[in-house]
Amino acid sequence: MFQTARMRKIKVVTLNKYSTPIVNSLHEEGIVQISDISERIQQDPHWAELLNPSKVTALTGKISSLLMKCSGLSELLGDASSGDVGIKDMIKSFISPNIPKKTEVEVISSEKLVNKAESLLNEVESKTKVIEDQLNSIDNKKSELKSNKLLATKLKDLDIDLSLLNETKYTFTVVGRIDAESVDNFKKESAKITDKFLIFDTPDEDKLKKIIVLVTLSEFKDDLYSLIRTFDFEKFETDNISGKPNDVISLADSELISLEKEKSHLSLKLKEIAEKYDDDVLVLKEQLEIEKERNEVFSTFGETNKTVMLEAWLPLKDVDKAKNLIELSTEGHSVVEIEDIGEDDSETPVLHNNPKIVKPYEFLVDMYSPVKYREIDPSVLVFIMFPFFFGFCLTDAFYGLMLVVLGIVLIKGMGKVNETMGKFGNIIIACGLWTIVLGLITNGLLGDFFSRFLHINLPTVIAQFDAFKNPVNILIVAIAIGFVYNTLGFILGIINNFRYGEKKEALGSQIVWIIFEVGLAFLVAGMLIPSLGIIGQGIGAVLLIATLVILFYCDGILGVMDVFSWLGNLLSYARLLALCLATAGIAMTVNIIAEMIGSMLPIPYLSLIIAIFIFIAGHIANFLFQVLGAFINALRLHYVEFFAQFFLGGKNSFSPFSASRILTKLKK
């Protein structure tokens, strides 16, 4: 439970003809992580004499190409099936998502899968290509019409056929928008180039701009373009527009309506095709993804003319299963070697080994860093303490109830199709339950709702821990918990460092602080307990001096300064009280404001409605803000204060070579 799964390295040598059956079997079982030995072969002369780096199969490129094509079609058909998704549909998909049904598929070779894919994709494309081209044409036409309509709207004051604004063999015309204050200067500068020009200007929707139409002879085109560049001139494209502005606008509106109807008709036809082929395309896509992984993994192997070699990591508990799979796949024509983990475990992938209830919290640990192979896995401690710290920060029973409901919705909804969502839902439920318990103990239920509005006290409150009356006691509990949790971290650090032979590191980073804490305990006990008296104080003083000596020995003069770091870590647990009071204080403030509004406004019903609105909105805002704060601070107390005492951290999480089958299952 506190130790990661024990791992082994497996080496397999077999004949080339059995490489595909081995890969397929291991991929379906998903119990090994394939190691890449091709680089080692290229760099190590000894290995290079024995093996050549293997390569991806000849069909890999074809499979990748078909997968890209399949993904594009899948996206097209998916969009056609879903149509416009409203808020109601989004909420429904979150609360009650569709659980995909698995389709049975046959075990076929890469060649047969390629042929199957080509046949299906060609069949679907023959039906969708024409519609897709028509839809693209409609979209382009709509874009052009909207552009023309916008331009005609801007030139509405010019009662001329807009085709006259196009260039001719002898004339140059430019239309655009310019700053209103620059118009006169623009005309003066144009006159310096030629006096053979016409300029029309009309106000723009933007009062700071003006629309300019400039007409002159073609011979002055280059000079006038050079002039335009010196001004902030926005040129309009008029090449594809004709007719008077009002006629252009009217015609565009009419054609846009017609095109929208045509697009709707084509979309319905595409939806019919999607209903027929979408599931088949999705299944094919998953098959191609799996086959692509299998064909690419060969590049990590080594080979000779007749044999192939692969290496992989796997959990100790799965060694026999893997050996049996390889034996069956190769018909006994293989050599399998199992290696234990040596002193150097830096490359060993790590697989957590925790009970199912703890699994969601592995995600929080891995967010910090993968665990090192031989160090203690803290997931169980995070499982126990993270929800408790969260609840300590939030401490409002009603907010906790909302979290429990949200967690259940996540598990029953998105958690069914998304494993991460399911894990997060479990974490939220645990956090919510602790929030309820600690809220009821500390008098937190919508702030002081019961005492303020109902004039009764919660029967579950423990008077000594009432957040509104005795916050000091809560602070003492928070600091005490921090003291114990930090000490536990030091003990774990000692174990980790001794496992890796880092005895001096254990002395200077963990053992010294346990000596320091024991010394403090004797010193305080000697002052408070007469029977210990000078003896307790003496022992405490000796241990404190020993602490300073050890710190100086391990880290020099700067090591002595770590006393302040120890104190800072301990006082960091005071944030548990700070957030507890923040939740209660803001909730109480919302209640006070709602009560004041309800009693101050002269219109009874209106005042009641406003008071209720403020009450609900205020508590929702407080809930969201405090939940975020509780999550961040509960995480911080682990990442910064607790993990810093012992966590070594590795670099490799176990990533099995596994076929992801969401929509498919193999026929038996």
Side-chain angles (χ1 to χ4, degrees):
M1 187 163 58
F2 287 99
Q3 182 172 275
T4 58
R6 298 301 86 184
M7 305 297 291
R8 293 293 182 268
K9 179 181 282 189
I10 185 170
K11 295 181 179 179
V12 182
V13 178
T14 187
L15 298 175
N16 287 334
K17 68 177 183 177
Y18 295 115
S19 59
T20 297
I22 284 182
V23 166
N24 293 352
S25 298
L26 293 177
H27 200 215
E28 290 297 336
E29 199 64 36
I31 57 174
V32 303
Q33 175 180 314
I34 303 292
S35 298
D36 189 348
I37 63 174
S38 60
E39 186 175 340
R40 189 193 316 162
I41 294 171
Q42 293 171 349
Q43 295 179 354
D44 190 329
H46 176 69
W47 278 79
E49 289 179 4
L50 302 174
L51 296 167
N52 296 314
S54 188
K55 299 177 182 178
V56 297
T57 66
L59 285 172
T60 303
K62 184 66 175 177
I63 292 171
S64 298
S65 176
L66 288 169
L67 179 57
M68 289 179 63
K69 190 175 180 180
C70 188
S71 298
L73 266 178
S74 174
E75 186 176 343
L76 175 67
L77 298 179
D79 291 342
S81 297
S82 60
D84 294 330
V85 179
I87 296 177
K88 183 179 178 181
D89 294 325
M90 290 178 62
I91 295 174
K92 184 179 178 181
S93 66
F94 183 82
I95 296 175
S96 181
N98 293 323
I99 309 299
K101 293 182 180 179
K102 293 192 174 185
T103 302
E104 283 193 342
V105 294
E106 295 180 350
V107 180
I108 56 177
S109 65
S110 297
E111 292 84 356
K112 288 184 178 180
L113 179 60
V114 166
N115 293 334
K116 173 186 173 183
E118 288 178 335
S119 175
L120 178 60
L121 294 179
N122 288 337
E123 180 182 348
V124 177
E125 266 197 335
S126 67
K127 299 178 182 296
T128 62
K129 182 64 176 173
V130 175
I131 297 176
E132 192 177 4
D133 289 342
Q134 289 175 327
L135 287 171
N136 289 335
S137 177
I138 288 173
D139 287 338
N140 292 335
K141 184 63 176 175
K142 284 175 65 178
S143 178
E144 182 182 336
L145 287 170
K146 288 177 180 179
S147 177
N148 289 346
K149 179 182 175 182
L150 180 62
L151 179 57
T153 302
K154 294 181 182 297
L155 302 177
K156 194 159 51 173
D157 292 338
L158 297 176
D159 190 24
I160 61 171
D161 189 332
L162 298 180
S163 63
L164 297 175
L165 301 178
N166 296 331
E167 292 186 41
T168 68
K169 183 177 180 180
Y170 301 104
T171 61
F172 163 66
T173 304
V174 64
V175 184
R177 185 162 55 179
I178 193 172
D179 291 337
E181 61 185 20
S182 301
V183 172
D184 291 338
N185 189 29
F186 180 74
K187 291 179 179 180
K188 290 178 183 178
E189 294 298 322
S190 299
K192 292 179 181 179
I193 297 173
T194 178
D195 57 358
K196 298 176 182 178
F197 71 91
L198 293 172
I199 290 184
F200 304 95
D201 63 83
T202 182
D204 187 39
E205 293 175 355
D206 183 353
K207 295 181 180 180
L208 299 177
K209 301 280 188 178
K210 276 196 173 185
I211 305 294
I212 293 289
V213 179
L214 171 64
V215 183
T216 187
L217 298 176
S218 295
E219 60 187 280
F220 303 112
K221 177 178 178 178
D222 293 338
D223 292 333
L224 284 170
Y225 260 134
S226 298
L227 174 63
I228 286 171
R229 293 190 190 98
T230 64
F231 288 84
D232 185 14
F233 192 94
E234 180 187 347
K235 186 176 182 296
F236 297 155
E237 296 297 333
T238 59
D239 295 340
N240 299 317
I241 190 169
S242 62
K244 292 186 176 183
N246 287 332
D247 295 336
V248 172
I249 294 170
S250 177
L251 181 62
D253 287 337
S254 175
E255 289 193 24
L256 283 170
I257 292 172
S258 176
L259 288 172
E260 195 60 44
K261 289 181 180 178
E262 186 179 352
K263 183 176 181 179
S264 297
H265 176 69
L266 291 172
S267 296
L268 286 175
K269 290 177 67 176
L270 192 59
K271 186 174 183 179
E272 291 176 1
I273 297 171
E275 289 173 353
K276 182 178 180 180
Y277 290 103
D278 190 31
D279 290 342
D280 292 338
V281 171
L282 285 172
V283 167
L284 177 63
K285 180 185 173 186
E286 184 170 280
Q287 287 182 282
L288 288 170
E289 287 171 344
I290 291 171
E291 200 64 30
K292 181 173 178 284
E293 286 182 9
R294 291 176 178 176
N295 281 264
E296 287 178 340
V297 79
F298 285 97
S299 65
T300 65
F301 297 172
E303 64 180 6
T304 65
N305 290 334
K306 295 183 178 180
T307 63
V308 66
M309 176 182 177
L310 67 92
E311 284 187 3
W313 296 96
L314 75 165
L316 176 60
K317 63 183 179 61
D318 292 327
V319 166
D320 290 337
K321 183 188 293 186
K323 290 170 72 174
N324 291 334
L325 276 175
I326 294 167
E327 180 76 14
L328 290 172
S329 301
T330 61
E331 300 176 342
H333 298 85
S334 60
V335 177
V336 178
E337 180 181 331
I338 306 297
E339 288 186 5
D340 200 351
I341 307 301
E343 290 295 321
D344 182 11
D345 60 12
S346 59
E347 298 300 322
T348 306
V350 171
L351 176 64
H352 292 282
N353 184 30
N354 293 300
K356 186 176 180 180
I357 195 172
V358 180
K359 289 291 181 185
Y361 299 85
E362 296 172 355
F363 168 72
L364 297 180
V365 173
D366 289 337
M367 277 175 58
Y368 182 79
S369 169
V371 181
K372 201 170 183 179
Y373 180 64
R374 287 190 175 90
E375 76 169 309
I376 292 173
D377 180 357
S379 299
V380 173
L381 298 173
V382 177
F383 156 71
I384 296 169
M385 296 304 297
F386 179 84
F388 174 75
F389 286 156
F390 183 101
F392 205 131
C393 291
L394 198 55
T395 52
D396 189 291
F398 189 82
Y399 294 175
L401 180 61
M402 291 173 66
L403 283 173
V404 171
V405 172
L406 176 60
I408 292 172
V409 169
L410 278 176
I411 292 173
K412 298 294 184 181
M414 290 299 294
K416 292 180 179 179
V417 295
N418 187 306
E419 185 180 359
T420 301
M421 283 291 188
K423 291 179 178 180
F424 198 58
N426 280 291
I427 294 173
I428 289 177
I429 289 175
C431 292
L433 292 173
W434 268 114
T435 301
I436 292 172
V437 171
L438 295 176
L440 293 175
I441 291 174
T442 59
N443 197 17
L445 198 155
L446 291 175
D448 59 348
F449 178 84
F450 269 71
S451 59
R452 182 170 299 278
F453 296 110
L454 303 180
H455 307 293
I456 59 174
N457 293 320
L458 283 173
T460 56
V461 176
I462 298 175
Q464 292 83 353
F465 300 112
D466 189 329
F468 295 100
K469 297 177 181 178
N470 296 303
V472 174
N473 291 340
I474 298 177
L475 176 62
I476 293 172
V477 171
I479 297 297
I481 290 171
F483 184 86
V484 173
Y485 208 40
N486 266 2
T487 302
L488 177 59
F490 294 139
I491 294 171
L492 298 181
I494 293 170
I495 296 172
N496 283 340
N497 280 316
F498 268 82
R499 282 181 177 178
Y500 283 94
E502 300 289 343
K503 296 180 180 179
K504 185 177 179 180
E505 177 66 22
L507 177 65
S509 297
Q510 289 98 23
I511 295 174
V512 63
W513 298 116
I514 293 179
I515 295 172
F516 179 70
E517 290 172 355
V518 173
L520 278 180
F522 270 104
L523 193 64
V524 173
M527 294 177 180
L528 298 178
I529 302 174
S531 58
L532 282 177
I534 192 68
I535 297 176
Q537 295 179 40
I539 295 173
V542 170
L543 292 175
L544 293 179
I545 293 171
T547 297
L548 297 177
V549 171
I550 294 171
L551 288 173
F552 184 81
Y553 165 72
C554 292
D555 297 305
I557 190 64
L558 293 178
V560 179
M561 303 298 292
D562 286 344
V563 173
F564 297 102
S565 296
W566 176 90
L567 183 61
N569 283 343
L570 184 62
L571 293 178
S572 289
Y573 286 85
R575 71 181 67 248
L576 294 171
L577 169 68
L579 270 81
C580 168
L581 294 180
T583 304
I586 295 175
M588 182 174 67
T589 302
V590 171
N591 294 342
I592 292 172
I593 294 173
E595 183 182 35
M596 289 173 60
I597 295 294
S599 60
M600 287 174 60
L601 291 179
I603 306 174
Y605 292 110
L606 179 61
S607 63
L608 179 61
I609 292 171
I610 294 175
I612 291 174
F613 174 78
I614 290 174
F615 179 83
I616 294 173
H619 279 293
I620 290 175
N622 190 37
F623 168 76
L624 295 174
F625 182 75
Q626 300 302 337
V627 163
L628 179 62
F631 185 87
I632 291 173
N633 283 281
L635 210 57
R636 178 203 155 87
L637 287 174
H638 281 89
Y639 285 178
V640 179
E641 277 74 30
F642 184 56
F643 283 3
Q645 314 307 337
F646 68 92
F647 205 106
L648 299 176
K651 59 182 181 180
N652 299 317
S653 292
F654 183 70
S655 179
F657 178 60
S658 177
S660 177
R661 293 197 179 275
I662 299 172
L663 301 172
T664 63
K665 60 181 178 181
L666 294 178
K667 285 184 179 180
K668 297 182 179 179

